[in-house]
């Protein structure tokens, strides 16, 4: 890790992030400005939405008038800001204001806003990897099949009056199990090629834990490899049975999942376009899908190792 304490920063806040649902934007901006000012850091705040986050970060880096760009939101916000900065050497920080803050958690960044500000103010920078598919960067993962299906259908239910988010996900899950769409993929990594018919294919930026008590976590963010997880289940019952066993800690994920790692992967489908999930956001891309790891692509503020015993994440740098 290197240390470069910022003195002038741009904070890009995603006004659509869940952290703004229950607090006035003015109050959050005031807390951020005063929090950084207490560390002697001058702050400019910009409100943006999902479609303009990467461009705003890219323009700020090109202007050269600031030391760092800070993303205020969830994983989608952090991923968009990271994509805008990946071609520069500018560090970025994260204020976890979203519903899902997996990247921040794996870095060890605290959920509390004042503590996350403190991490940035101390200036410790970790160099981490990023994933890329068809030229689009992701910081956590990309998946095809079940998860994009659930996200899309959940949004449809969520728009209906009186349907809350948990209920929308349950209804989407019921529809998925009722239809149980299986996709046929060709997967090529190096000289190895396989054909799979599966409900879920998942590509992670570095290795994801399979232990049910640490599921969705990564111990390392600079391993320089993509990790692929393919569900072997061919029927609804087999998927439900695997899920129950997994939640109870009785399954053998390495038996029920095809797992491998590589620096680059090509995934082919019969359809010319496919909808996939990237860092929790839905995108549509042309096929085939060309994945590659981008080692040491990002410089991000993170707790120093001795501070991480008290943090949520445990990622190694």
């Amino acid at each position: 890790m290197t240390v470069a304490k910022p003195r002038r920063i741009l904070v890009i806040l995603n006004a659509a992030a869940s952290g703004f649902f229950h607090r006035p934007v003015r109050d959050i901006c005031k807390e951020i400005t005063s929090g950084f000012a207490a560390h002697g850091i001058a702050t400019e705040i910009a409100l943006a939405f999902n479609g303009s986050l990467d461009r705003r970060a890219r323009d700020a880096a090109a202007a050269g008038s600031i030391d760092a760009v800070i993303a205020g939101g969830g994983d989608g916000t952090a991923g968009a800001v990271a994509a805008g900065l990946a071609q520069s050497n500018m560090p970025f920080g994260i204020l976890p204001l979203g519903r899902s803050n997996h990247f921040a958690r794996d870095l060890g960044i605290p959920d509390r806003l004042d503590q996350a500000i403190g991490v940035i103010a101390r200036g410790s920078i970790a160099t981490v990897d990023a994933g890329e598919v068809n030229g689009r960067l992701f910081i956590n993962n990309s998946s095809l099949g079940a998860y994009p299906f659930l996200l899309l259908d959940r949004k449809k239910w969520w728009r209906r009056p009186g349907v809350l988010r948990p209920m929308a996900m349950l209804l989407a899950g019921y529809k998925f199990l009722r239809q149980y769409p299986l996709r046929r993929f060709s997967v090529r990594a190096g000289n190895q090629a396989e054909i799979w018919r599966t409900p879920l294919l998942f590509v992670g930026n570095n290795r994801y834990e399979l232990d049910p008590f640490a599921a969705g976590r990564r111990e390392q963010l600079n391993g320089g490899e993509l990790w692929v997880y393919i569900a072997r289940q061919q029927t609804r019952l087999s998927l439900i049975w695997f899920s129950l066993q997994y939640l109870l800690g009785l399954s053998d994920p390495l038996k029920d999942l095809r797992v491998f790692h590589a620096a680059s992967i090509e995934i082919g489908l019969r359809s010319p376009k496919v909808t996939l999930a990237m860092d929790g956001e839905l995108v549509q891309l042309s096929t085939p899908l060309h994945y590659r790891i981008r080692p040491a692509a990002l410089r991000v503020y993170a707790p120093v190792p001795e501070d991480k015993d008290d943090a949520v994440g445990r990622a190694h740098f």
Side-chain angles (χ1 to χ4, degrees):
M1 298 184 79
T2 59
V3 176
K5 296 182 179 181
R7 289 293 173 257
R8 298 165 299 169
I9 62 173
L10 171 67
V11 179
I12 301 177
L13 297 179
N14 182 1
S18 64
F20 296 92
F21 291 173
H22 307 295
R23 289 184 62 192
V25 174
R26 182 183 303 175
D27 291 352
I28 295 176
C29 291
K30 183 177 180 180
E31 183 178 352
I32 291 171
T33 302
S34 60
F36 280 114
H39 295 280
I41 300 173
T43 304
E44 176 189 349
I45 293 181
L47 293 178
F49 293 88
N50 287 330
S52 61
L53 294 167
D54 57 342
R55 184 176 65 253
R56 189 70 178 85
R58 188 179 304 111
D59 291 345
S65 60
I66 55 173
D67 301 318
V69 176
I70 311 303
D75 284 321
T77 305
V81 170
L85 298 176
Q87 301 298 327
S88 72
N89 196 41
M90 179 166 287
F92 77 104
I94 301 172
L95 300 178
L97 294 169
R99 180 173 288 107
S100 298
N101 302 294
H102 298 292
F103 187 63
R105 179 202 62 197
D106 290 343
L107 286 166
I109 297 171
D111 289 332
R112 280 180 46 179
L113 187 55
D114 60 333
Q115 293 179 351
I117 289 172
V119 168
I120 296 167
R122 284 192 288 273
S124 296
I125 299 174
T127 302
V128 299
D129 305 334
E132 182 186 288
V133 52
N134 289 15
R136 299 190 58 151
L137 181 141
F138 60 92
I139 54 176
N140 291 331
N141 55 68
S142 167
S143 62
L144 299 94
Y147 191 53
F149 182 101
L150 293 173
L151 285 180
L152 187 60
D153 201 59
R154 184 192 67 185
K155 288 185 177 181
K156 294 178 182 177
W157 284 107
W158 203 11
R159 294 191 186 104
R160 300 189 181 187
V163 179
L164 300 178
R165 184 185 176 91
M167 179 57 69
M169 183 56 85
L170 286 174
L171 291 169
Y174 171 75
K175 183 177 179 180
F176 174 78
L177 287 175
R178 183 163 54 86
Q179 296 185 359
Y180 200 67
L182 294 171
R183 300 295 300 266
R184 185 177 183 274
F185 303 104
S186 64
V187 183
R188 181 181 296 276
N191 296 324
Q192 185 175 358
E194 301 177 357
I195 302 294
W196 282 91
R197 188 168 176 265
T198 176
L200 174 65
L201 187 150
F202 178 98
V203 181
N205 170 22
N206 284 279
R207 180 180 178 271
Y208 275 77
E209 293 294 318
L210 294 177
D211 188 311
F213 302 104
R217 297 182 183 272
R218 289 168 291 179
E219 287 289 332
Q220 189 177 34
L221 294 176
N222 62 353
E225 290 182 314
L226 298 170
W227 281 69
V228 181
Y229 304 83
I230 304 173
R232 298 181 184 272
Q233 289 73 30
Q234 297 294 304
T235 67
R236 299 178 185 86
L237 286 177
S238 63
L239 181 63
I240 293 171
W241 179 240
F242 165 71
S243 301
L244 289 173
Q245 286 185 306
Y246 181 75
L247 292 173
L248 294 172
L250 301 175
S251 69
D252 181 359
L254 294 179
K255 179 181 177 181
D256 294 302
L257 299 171
R258 170 71 170 104
V259 181
F260 64 92
H261 50 91
S264 63
I265 302 155
E266 180 182 292
I267 297 175
L269 298 92
R270 293 175 177 173
S271 56
K273 290 185 178 294
V274 64
T275 298
L276 61 156
M278 288 176 52
D279 295 334
E281 305 291 333
L282 291 172
V283 299
Q284 189 176 69
L285 297 179
S286 299
T287 61
L289 300 174
H290 298 280
Y291 285 87
R292 71 181 179 109
I293 194 72
R294 293 179 58 178
L298 303 171
R299 302 175 70 230
V300 57
Y301 292 106
V304 295
E306 54 264 32
D307 290 342
K308 294 176 68 180
D309 291 338
D310 299 323
V312 178
R314 293 291 181 269
H316 299 154
F317 310 114

